[in-house]
Amino acid sequence: MCYLFTEFFVQTTSRRVADRKIAVFEKNITKRGSVPETVKKGNDYPVGPIVLGFFVFVVVGSYTFISATTNMGRRE
């Protein structure tokens, strides 16, 4: 009886390591899906206002230049 009792409660190192890995795995399974909806801070834009202003300046300026050069030849 004493032999069965000690064999049941004494674990080898590999069994303890396996049980610990299983416990960590089970804990990760129960935590799955409990991530907050948004992890980003408030208004985080990918480009700054200076770059955006430069882009608008180039687009509007090039459109103005092209429309001015195409209308120079036409006089009605």
Side-chain angles (χ1 to χ4, degrees), residues 4-62:
L4 290 175
F5 180 75
T6 57
E7 184 178 324
F8 181 71
F9 285 106
V10 175
Q11 294 182 344
T12 62
T13 304
S14 61
R15 182 67 187 168
R16 276 188 303 236
V17 170
D19 288 343
R20 194 175 304 141
K21 285 182 180 180
I22 290 170
V24 169
F25 179 75
E26 291 294 328
K27 189 170 91 174
N28 285 340
I29 292 295
T30 58
K31 287 170 52 178
R32 185 176 294 168
S34 63
V35 179
E37 291 273 332
T38 58
V39 292
K40 285 187 174 182
K41 293 182 259 179
N43 297 329
D44 188 24
Y45 299 110
V47 295
I50 296 173
V51 175
L52 187 61
F54 180 72
F55 179 72
V56 169
F57 172 75
V58 168
V59 169
V60 171
S62 64

